[in-house]
Amino acid sequence: MPPLIILVCVVAIVVVVLRRGARRTRASVETARANGPEAAAEMSARLTEEQHRAIYSLIAQGLTVQAIAAYRQATGAKLIDARNAILLMESHPQAYGEPREAPVAPAEPAPAASSAPSAPLTSSEPAAALPPAGEPEAAPPSSAHEPSKVPAGAPGERSTTRFPYRYRAIVSNGRQTLEVASNLLNDQIYAEIKALAQIGDAEDAALMLWRHSEISIEEARAFVDLL
């Protein structure tokens, strides 16, 4: 009989410990999610652009465990800190290099007006020489320039890295279906495009799709709008 009582006590203690651990874990997760976009921006700022894209690519694919591991490897954070960082970045998506509000510097006082008498409004400099009669004045340089093949705001040209297969990306909203087929695309690049679209950076997503396909920028924007 005593061994049975001891076993029951041990089981009860284990259940209590597990329940407390589960409550602490839930509380930690809720606290991490409630820290807000400022904390998410701070966690995101510890990553390089390449690391930022790779981690958001994993988040977009639902690979949370792999995203936590990638964040730990990139920053050297502890497991619980890396988990909280991924939860924050997932709850409050951050575009890489998003500008922060700069502190406003106090205005410098204007210099005091001088009490010295002002100089007379006369000049001893000779008047500008007029061009000789009959000689036409030089025309101002023209500001015309050749139209660029790159869309306005596009950072760079189209990609030159071609893959040995033709990647097909299809998107649909039920009423309209669009397809992009290109050997400049692969799974990783398309996942980054989707991640950019999901965090609200539609223009960067369209530019990235344009650089890795043969479609126009307008077609890329229409495709991203359906993601």
Side-chain angles (χ1 to χ4, degrees):
M1 194 63 182
L4 180 59
I5 295 174
I6 294 173
L7 179 60
V8 170
C9 292
V10 170
V11 170
I13 292 171
V14 170
V15 169
V16 169
V17 170
L18 290 177
R19 286 183 177 177
R20 287 183 178 176
R23 282 197 296 269
R24 283 197 299 269
T25 300
R26 285 195 298 270
S28 176
V29 170
E30 292 171 1
T31 301
R33 290 185 184 276
N35 279 338
E38 293 81 6
E42 182 180 350
M43 298 298 183
S44 174
R46 300 177 64 185
L47 303 170
T48 65
E49 183 176 5
E50 183 178 355
Q51 293 165 350
H52 184 277
R53 287 184 176 179
I55 287 174
Y56 264 112
S57 174
L58 293 171
I59 292 175
Q61 298 174 70
L63 304 176
T64 305
V65 174
Q66 290 87 333
I68 292 172
Y71 189 90
R72 290 189 69 193
Q73 183 177 4
T75 64
K78 295 180 181 179
L79 177 58
I80 189 169
D81 294 333
R83 184 208 61 187
N84 291 346
I86 295 302
L87 292 177
L88 278 167
M89 292 170 63
E90 183 179 11
S91 300
H92 308 284
Q94 302 292 313
Y96 180 79
E98 186 173 359
R100 309 287 190 268
E101 292 186 1
V104 179
E108 295 183 1
S114 173
S115 59
S118 59
L121 300 177
T122 59
S123 174
S124 60
E125 295 181 2
L130 297 176
E135 183 177 341
E137 295 184 10
S142 172
S143 61
H145 58 276
E146 292 293 328
S148 173
K149 296 182 181 179
V150 182
E157 303 285 345
R158 291 192 192 264
S159 173
T160 57
T161 303
R162 295 184 176 272
F163 302 102
Y165 55 87
R166 194 165 179 82
Y167 189 90
R168 294 181 62 198
I170 301 174
V171 65
S172 174
N173 63 358
R175 299 184 303 275
Q176 183 183 14
T177 300
L178 297 177
E179 176 181 344
V180 175
S182 173
N183 60 353
L184 303 175
L185 273 172
N186 63 8
D187 281 332
Q188 182 178 357
I189 296 171
Y190 185 62
E192 292 178 14
I193 293 170
K194 288 180 63 178
L196 286 171
Q198 289 170 359
I199 65 175
D201 202 348
E203 185 62 19
D204 280 350
L207 289 172
M208 190 170 185
L209 178 59
W210 173 84
R211 286 197 300 270
H212 293 87
S213 65
E214 294 84 10
I215 63 176
S216 67
I217 187 63
E218 290 78 13
E219 291 171 329
R221 287 172 179 148
F223 188 95
V224 168
D225 285 342
L226 296 184
L227 284 174

